[in-house]
Amino acid sequence: MLKIKKQKTEAVKRKRKKLTPIQAVKGMRDILPPEQFIWDYVLENSKKLCHNFGFGRIETPILEYTELFHRGVGQITDIVEKEMFSFETQGKDAVSLRPEGTAGIARAYVENGMSKWSQPVKLYYEGPMFRYENPQAGRYRQFHQFGFEIFGDECPAIDAQIIYLAWKIFQKIGIKNTIIQLNSIGCGECRPAYKKLLTDYYEMKIHKLCPDCKRRLSDNPLRLLDCKEEKCAQVSSGVPQIIDHLCEACHDHFKNVLEFLDELEISYVLNSSLVRGLDYYTKTVFEIWEVGKEGSQSSLGGGGRYDDLVGILGGETVPAVGFSFGVERAVERLLQGGLHLDQKIEREVFLVQLGNMARKKILSLFNNLIDARISVGESLGRGSIKSQLRMANRFNSKLALIIGQKEALDGTIIIRDMESGMQEVITMESVIAEVKKRLKG
Ligand code: HAM
């Protein structure tokens, strides 16, 4: 008896003491229902375009062995050096939350024997990625990418097609003010000699470089080209241009990519300092920037050719090219451009009730309307008819179905045309057919 009383008092005490609310992990955020409409809009349009271009959907695990990113993305990259969420499993496996999608998809290509499929293999994907970055606008620790990759075709026309599709997605969703930044970073043939040139150049000015660049100079001098530190950018302004040091094959490839893009009539800017932050690229690299935001770090998306990656991951050498964009960044641009959160929340029919008996009727009518594929809204908690009709207007409903005590007893319902305000009493049995008829009309 005493024990029960004690337990009760402690429960009351616990109830009284307000606990500190738990927040989402730093750099990670909730995507709430109103925003989901814009997410759906972006993803549905992107998927539709990918389907039209012959891509099939792939999903790979969020968790991969850490070695995949060490080998694929590269040891001397920001992503691998500083940004991975890596840990050891209970079985002592070193794993990481994927910081990007391409390495996992190339792994899946090898593991699932896709080189035996009819080539090229065209895959698209979407999902969360994780990078331990400093959170700020457009930069999160959990973010989402939509991307697409083509394996098994080395033709420069494929690079142009990927670039075109990337550009087209932004056009389609209404981010039209974009510019393609384009460069070639050569291949295993020509890049070593260019890297040597770069190293010689930067070594002469090493005292002017930031600590990161000094450290990277010997292992990955290409990364110095896009360092955002002011003093490093100044040093880089006089650097030898890679375009002038491409081997014949890379030079021809790039020339052809440009010609195909000209044919497609999309404008681009040649950007010799664009090297991308991942080591797997060969030949073409590109990013899509918003006009007016050039030079900022927040590109909408990026991609390029990566002919060596499948080989690096243990497959036979297979040429490949791809692109991905940050969904948060696209959604944010659309919101900044005035796309309103509730713009797309619509219900064809709104159910209005007055009193408990009416509420009971509404519950099953709601289900019947949904079964008949009619989008329906309700507000079971609200009292006044006026406030419920206001909600119907907000949802842009064409019809309101109103039940009070009398209608609930009679087995009738009032159907109201929200535009004209005309009302009519109909029987409960005829309601679905009547609604369908009026919605069609
Ligand atoms: P990436 O440039 O590292 O490339 O990322 C692509 C896009 O993801 C960026 O342009 C940006 O929109 C978005 N993004 C990256 N980090 C963040 C972040 N912390 N917060 C929000 N958005 C972010 C890749 O990941 C390559 N896998 C692209 C690719 C596909 N290359 C060939 N195929």
Side-chain angles (χ1 to χ4, degrees):
M1 189 65 183
L2 202 65
K3 202 174 165 196
I4 292 174
K5 201 171 170 197
K6 200 175 162 201
Q7 274 175 354
K8 269 192 184 164
T9 353
E10 275 176 4
V12 170
K13 264 195 212 157
R14 259 205 311 276
K15 220 174 171 184
R16 270 199 218 119
K17 193 173 160 230
K18 196 157 186 299
L19 299 171
T20 322
I22 296 171
Q23 298 190 323
V25 173
K26 188 176 171 189
M28 306 195 178
R29 55 192 282 272
D30 308 307
I31 305 156
L32 303 178
E35 207 183 321
Q36 293 287 356
F37 287 95
I38 304 184
W39 278 70
D40 287 349
Y41 166 77
V42 170
L43 294 172
E44 289 310 318
N45 276 296
S46 308
K47 277 187 219 170
K48 230 181 255 170
L49 268 172
C50 279
H51 279 292
N52 292 347
F53 275 71
F55 286 78
R57 183 181 169 124
I58 182 164
E59 246 175 75
T60 59
I62 287 169
L63 210 56
E64 298 271 4
Y65 289 119
T66 301
E67 193 192 346
L68 172 73
F69 304 112
H70 281 199
R71 271 209 253 165
V73 173
Q75 300 263 20
I76 318 290
T77 55
D78 277 351
I79 292 179
V80 169
E81 279 184 329
K82 312 182 196 163
E83 295 172 1
M84 294 230 285
F85 284 87
S86 300
F87 55 95
E88 204 176 69
T89 64
Q90 292 178 28
K92 306 273 178 242
D93 289 322
V95 293
S96 296
L97 292 173
R98 62 183 180 194
E100 59 100 51
T102 311
I105 290 168
R107 191 245 338 116
Y109 179 91
V110 178
E111 189 170 342
N112 294 287
M114 289 189 220
S115 60
K116 307 229 161 38
W117 297 9
S118 154
Q119 306 292 304
V121 176
K122 299 167 93 175
L123 304 167
Y124 82 86
Y125 55 97
E126 55 160 308
M129 310 289 158
F130 301 83
R131 294 186 194 175
Y132 195 82
E133 294 195 82
N134 257 343
Q136 48 185 281
R139 198 172 286 284
Y140 304 99
R141 290 187 175 169
Q142 175 175 335
F143 61 99
H144 296 73
Q145 282 186 346
F146 183 95
F148 39 89
E149 319 282 346
I150 300 183
F151 292 88
D153 200 327
E154 59 187 356
C155 178
I158 298 292
D159 306 35
Q161 195 181 41
I162 286 274
I163 295 170
Y164 179 77
L165 178 54
W167 172 82
K168 183 85 187 159
I169 284 179
F170 290 110
Q171 292 292 306
K172 177 109 202 255
I173 62 176
I175 304 176
K176 300 199 183 233
N177 212 9
T178 56
I179 185 79
I180 296 154
Q181 304 279 324
L182 195 61
N183 195 18
S184 170
I185 55 166
C187 66
E189 280 290 307
C190 49
R191 211 182 307 159
Y194 178 66
K195 277 186 173 175
K196 169 85 178 58
L197 262 181
L198 274 187
T199 314
D200 292 348
Y201 173 90
Y202 282 117
E203 254 165 9
M204 310 256 288
K205 302 169 199 284
I206 197 156
H207 56 285
K208 293 187 181 164
L209 300 175
C210 73
D212 262 357
C213 283
K214 278 183 185 151
R215 193 171 43 80
R216 284 174 175 173
L217 182 54
S218 55
D219 299 311
N220 201 349
L222 271 184
R223 296 291 300 131
L224 274 64
L225 287 172
D226 73 346
C227 177
K228 302 292 180 290
E229 291 280 332
E230 179 72 36
K231 52 185 186 172
C232 299
Q234 265 175 20
V235 174
S236 293
S237 60
V239 86
Q241 309 266 303
I242 190 160
I243 292 292
D244 301 326
H245 299 275
L246 295 176
C247 61
E248 206 181 331
C250 286
H251 181 270
D252 285 352
H253 186 96
F254 196 48
K255 187 169 149 277
N256 278 313
V257 173
L258 301 186
E259 281 173 15
F260 285 122
L261 288 176
D262 291 340
E263 197 62 36
L264 290 166
E265 293 184 352
I266 48 174
S267 39
Y268 53 83
V269 166
L270 294 182
N271 180 346
S272 58
S273 62
L274 186 76
V275 288
R276 311 268 304 124
L278 307 104
D279 273 0
Y280 48 62
Y281 291 112
T282 50
K283 296 183 177 160
T284 317
V285 288
F286 72 102
E287 284 185 0
I288 301 220
W289 292 2
E290 219 182 345
V291 175
K293 300 212 165 138
E294 294 94 335
S296 75
Q297 285 184 39
S298 50
S299 78
L300 291 168
R305 185 162 271 287
Y306 50 95
D307 291 346
D308 297 337
L309 180 60
V310 174
I312 289 170
L313 298 181
E316 281 166 25
T317 307
V318 172
V321 56
F323 170 81
S324 75
F325 70 88
V327 184
E328 281 80 359
R329 289 192 189 173
V331 167
E332 277 161 24
R333 292 301 183 283
L334 289 171
L335 286 173
Q336 284 161 10
L339 193 70
H340 297 299
L341 287 178
D342 57 358
Q343 195 158 298
K344 298 196 75 161
I345 309 177
E346 290 195 350
R347 301 283 182 270
E348 293 170 297
V349 175
F350 198 88
L351 300 181
V352 177
Q353 47 68 34
L354 207 59
N356 236 357
M357 213 190 243
R359 259 185 215 117
K360 282 183 192 154
K361 298 273 176 197
I362 288 273
L363 275 178
S364 52
L365 178 57
F366 183 91
N367 296 340
N368 295 343
L369 286 161
I370 296 281
D371 287 346
R373 293 174 187 277
I374 295 163
S375 71
V376 46
E378 45 66 33
S379 170
L380 289 170
R382 286 209 189 191
S384 95
I385 291 197
K386 218 168 154 192
S387 73
Q388 293 181 64
L389 286 175
R390 264 203 307 270
M391 275 191 86
N393 271 329
R394 236 181 294 140
F395 281 123
N396 218 3
S397 302
K398 289 192 182 67
L399 300 171
L401 296 172
I402 307 166
I403 309 186
Q405 177 103 345
K406 178 175 179 302
E407 288 76 21
L409 286 170
D410 286 359
T412 57
I413 193 160
I414 299 166
I415 187 162
R416 178 187 172 97
D417 184 303
M418 289 301 291
E419 204 184 314
S420 66
M422 298 278 282
Q423 295 191 168
E424 199 183 319
V425 178
I426 58 171
T427 61
M428 201 55 148
E429 290 83 58
S430 65
V431 68
I432 301 280
E434 187 61 29
V435 165
K436 277 187 175 170
K437 194 174 88 192
R438 292 192 184 211
L439 288 178
K440 237 184 184 173

